[in-house]
Amino acid sequence: MTELHRNLIGGEWVDGEAVPNINPSDTNDVVGNYARATKADTEAAIAAAKAAFPAWSRSGPLERHAVLRKAADEITARKEELGRLLSREEGKTLAEGIGETVRAAQIFDFFAGEALRLTGETVPSVRPGIGVEMTREAMGVVGIITPWNFPIAIPAWKLAPALCYGNTVVFKPADLVPGCSWAIVDILHRAGLPKGVLNLVMGKGSVVGQTILDSPDVNAITFTGSVATGKRVAAASVEHMRKFQLEMGGKNPMVVLDDADLGIAVDCAVNGAFFSTGQRCTASSRLIVTQGIHDKFVSAVTDKLKSLVVDNALKAGTHIGPVVDQSQLDQDEKYLAIGRDEGAKLVFGGERLNRETPGFYLQPALFTETTNDMRISREEIFGPVANVIRVKDYEEALHIANDTPFGLSSGICTTSLKYATHFKRNAEAGMVMVNLPTAGVDFHVPFGGRKGSSYGPREQGRYAAEFYTQVKTAYTLP
């Protein structure tokens, strides 16, 4: 019998309904059985986090440092094992799975250091003899809701700062990929976290997520996922006057100018649009190309796509794994039909693929002859589908790049310092890439977007303190 991976509530592992975690590269492979939490379980987790907060928020920096440091070390030591688990449950290639696991370890390592660098300010008052201190304090109970596309990195970049700054946590991972989240919670639990500081409640968003949203005892919520669910998180949080942070996706442009290095431009486009099966909120789904290089670029991208191997994520030589599940595959195919109906030309891919193992395999798809008002240019598909928009010059390219309700990542390929500098200043996005894929960011600097992509303070790096802490100003007359 397969072991049941249980929820962690108040420092105890709690049983629940067993739900199989299925490998999208091989639907006959059950990664493991994971306990589904109930509303009562979630309420118990919130109560445990609330009870643990006073002591943990006043714990010393060495205690927090030690826990996060141990977690970083164990994740690093187990990177091959955890990377394989990630690839089995989500469908990234093994190289990508191991790379994401290493990034999670780096994030815990960074915030272990931040626990020892907590600072404040002391300034003189405008009134004689009075001292003024400004310090940061933990928010309280933080609800963490994570998506399926980065099963270990996104939990890491939310859990690590939450714990570093003295918060307690109720953590709901995506129902589709509980394995990596369970592993990381188990590591933190064994690293010495006091009971109730970290609580894991796996299960349905309609049950677990909704209970977190409805609770007046949750002081802050950080969420990464769809726009529709993000709006629900916002509305529920306003009702309770709680702090909230949202990361909700993108429709990211990659501009390619006539003067671009063609090889670099093709690599940026293919990596950004199709690697990780295009299932990244930073994916380059709109390729905006000036007319002088357009035909050469399309031809070169098509040739590159023909050389990519789509297969089992764990198989050596695979470049692109499967789509995560049947629902996502259905959505990708729906948008392929929409693109054709809108008059776009499918120049490559878009076909279901059969492989040695049953899975959700889709050939990467490239549309041309598209415009920026088509649905495939406006709506996030979240799959290995990209479209090329032909423009006459840089000015039109910049306008099209910014003409979107999203604003997460924006890229340009050019050898012109003039255009690169202008684009960095004028691209309406939280992150800008020059001669680099729109997907792929460092762990120690801020991550986040503008417009419909994000709301609230940035994630990652030292900027994470803006969300996970609150400022106190204290005046003293000796």
Side-chain angles (χ1 to χ4, degrees):
M1 181 177 292
T2 305
E3 176 191 0
L4 176 65
H5 296 80
R6 297 173 291 173
N7 291 297
L8 182 67
I9 300 172
E12 304 295 331
W13 295 105
V14 177
D15 286 335
E17 176 192 355
V19 178
N21 183 3
I22 304 299
N23 180 351
S25 290
D26 180 359
T27 54
N28 293 324
D29 176 31
V30 177
V31 179
N33 288 319
Y34 292 81
R36 179 169 282 170
T38 64
K39 178 180 180 182
D41 291 332
T42 310
E43 290 171 339
I46 294 168
K50 183 178 180 180
F53 175 71
W56 180 248
S57 64
R58 290 166 176 78
S59 61
L62 277 176
E63 182 178 356
R64 299 181 210 169
H65 168 82
V67 169
L68 297 174
R69 178 70 259 173
K70 286 179 184 177
D73 288 345
E74 182 169 342
I75 294 168
T76 299
R78 296 172 59 191
K79 64 182 181 182
E80 303 281 344
E81 170 203 346
L82 295 173
R84 186 177 183 85
L85 170 63
L86 192 160
S87 295
R88 280 180 73 200
E89 73 169 353
E90 194 272 341
K92 281 188 176 74
T93 64
L94 185 56
E96 289 175 314
I98 293 171
E100 183 179 329
T101 302
V102 170
R103 180 178 174 185
Q106 292 168 333
I107 291 166
F108 276 102
D109 181 48
F110 177 87
F111 283 103
E114 285 298 282
L116 301 176
R117 291 190 287 265
L118 298 175
T119 60
E121 294 181 75
T122 301
V123 299
S125 171
V126 295
R127 293 169 288 174
I130 295 176
V132 184
E133 300 169 88
M134 289 153 292
T135 55
R136 288 188 175 274
E137 297 183 354
M139 290 299 303
V141 177
V142 175
I144 293 179
I145 303 174
T146 58
W148 52 259
N149 63 322
F150 284 89
I152 198 166
I154 293 179
W157 83 45
K158 294 180 187 293
L159 288 168
L163 297 171
C164 167
Y165 297 118
N167 300 283
T168 55
V169 171
V170 178
F171 172 34
K172 183 222 166 310
D175 198 21
L176 198 57
V177 288
C180 287
S181 292
W182 189 94
I184 207 170
V185 167
D186 175 59
I187 289 169
L188 285 164
H189 177 61
R190 290 185 289 98
L193 281 178
K195 291 184 177 182
V197 170
L198 174 58
N199 303 273
L200 173 68
V201 276
M202 301 175 287
K204 293 182 177 180
S206 58
V207 176
V208 177
Q210 192 62 49
T211 303
I212 293 172
L213 294 186
D214 291 342
S215 175
D217 292 327
V218 176
N219 305 106
I221 292 182
T222 176
F223 166 83
T224 300
S226 70
V227 173
T229 305
K231 289 179 178 179
R232 289 177 55 201
V233 172
S237 296
V238 169
E239 178 71 21
H240 293 293
M241 295 298 288
R242 72 161 67 98
K243 200 172 186 181
F244 61 98
Q245 177 186 60
L246 310 175
E247 290 295 342
M248 299 176 291
K251 195 68 182 173
N252 308 292
M254 169 57 74
V255 170
V256 179
L257 299 185
D258 286 351
D259 63 23
D261 180 300
L262 183 61
I264 290 175
V266 170
D267 286 345
C268 287
V270 172
N271 181 303
F274 302 109
F275 280 29
S276 296
T277 324
Q279 296 173 152
R280 301 184 281 194
C281 55
T282 51
S284 311
S285 48
R286 292 184 299 143
L287 307 174
I288 302 168
V289 186
T290 49
Q291 54 193 7
I293 199 173
H294 177 276
D295 292 351
K296 289 185 292 184
F297 174 80
V298 170
S299 177
V301 168
T302 302
D303 288 342
K304 183 75 171 180
L305 291 176
K306 290 176 182 176
S307 72
L308 297 181
V309 176
V310 181
D311 208 330
N312 191 308
L314 300 178
K315 188 182 252 186
T318 295
H319 298 111
I320 297 175
V323 172
V324 71
D325 70 350
Q326 185 64 51
S327 176
Q328 187 61 48
L329 182 58
D330 291 343
Q331 177 169 304
D332 294 344
E333 292 186 317
K334 180 189 79 170
Y335 275 103
L336 287 168
I338 289 170
R340 293 188 189 96
D341 291 344
E342 290 180 311
K345 180 180 179 182
L346 185 62
V347 295
F348 183 83
E351 300 296 324
R352 286 286 307 271
L353 300 174
N354 293 317
R355 292 296 180 255
E356 184 179 347
T357 51
F360 307 109
Y361 299 106
L362 181 67
Q363 193 174 38
L366 183 69
F367 281 110
T368 61
E369 298 178 20
T370 67
T371 61
N372 202 49
D373 58 357
M374 291 179 174
R375 286 183 64 188
I376 58 171
S377 299
R378 310 300 295 179
E379 300 171 13
E380 187 175 38
I381 300 172
F382 219 68
V385 182
N387 60 292
V388 182
I389 301 172
R390 187 197 298 260
V391 294
K392 65 178 183 294
D393 54 23
Y394 169 75
E395 286 72 26
E396 185 181 4
L398 177 63
H399 170 74
I400 295 295
N402 289 336
D403 181 15
T404 172
F406 296 102
L408 182 55
S409 185
S410 190
I412 187 170
C413 288
T414 180
T415 55
S416 166
L417 179 60
K418 169 188 171 183
Y419 288 133
T421 302
H422 189 272
F423 190 82
K424 285 190 289 184
R425 175 64 184 84
N426 291 279
E428 295 172 359
M431 299 178 292
V432 180
M433 313 295 182
V434 178
N435 295 321
L436 291 164
T438 57
V441 295
D442 291 352
F443 64 88
H444 66 305
V445 295
F447 175 94
R450 300 180 181 179
K451 300 191 279 189
S453 289
S454 303
Y455 182 90
R458 291 289 190 261
E459 301 201 78
Q460 298 200 128
R462 304 196 77 176
Y463 281 75
E466 296 296 327
F467 178 74
Y468 292 98
T469 65
Q470 51 195 332
V471 175
K472 176 181 282 182
T473 305
Y475 296 84
T476 304
L477 176 63

